Amino acid sequence: MSAHCQLTGAQPGFGNKISHSHRRTPRRFDPNIQRKRYWLPSEGRHVRLALSAKGVKTIDTIGIEAAVARIRARGGKV
């Protein structure tokens, strides 16, 4: 599964791991991606989305229909 949210577009951030001796090595900060299944009443089917934790909360607020419309507007496939 790729580490990006279909709704918010959250992607990995990059930075450095800093050891006790203060040596720096590259690392990734991955978003908290969850695979969630939602019922889409307008199409009469379930959709499975890869969402960040913030994306799940956004769907709770705006609803699945508006969220799918946003995903499609960004050019995403549902």
Side-chain angles (χ1 to χ4, degrees):
M1 162 184 2
S2 64
H4 80 278
C5 177
Q6 288 181 281
L7 180 59
T8 63
Q11 296 178 357
F14 295 90
N16 288 310
K17 194 180 307 181
I18 303 181
S19 70
H20 181 68
S21 65
H22 222 63
R23 285 180 61 97
R24 294 162 188 238
T25 54
R27 66 157 293 182
R28 274 170 56 136
F29 294 91
D30 286 328
N32 184 6
I33 299 294
Q34 310 291 324
R35 288 199 43 93
K36 297 281 287 180
R37 186 171 170 245
Y38 290 97
W39 174 251
L40 195 58
S42 64
E43 297 182 17
R45 67 183 181 105
H46 286 95
V47 292
R48 192 175 300 266
L49 301 173
L51 301 168
S52 62
K54 183 178 178 183
V56 173
K57 293 175 191 176
T58 302
I59 288 180
D60 290 344
T61 304
I62 67 172
I64 186 63
E65 297 288 344
V68 167
R70 279 191 194 179
I71 292 169
R72 288 183 173 146
R74 292 181 64 221
K77 183 181 171 195
V78 178

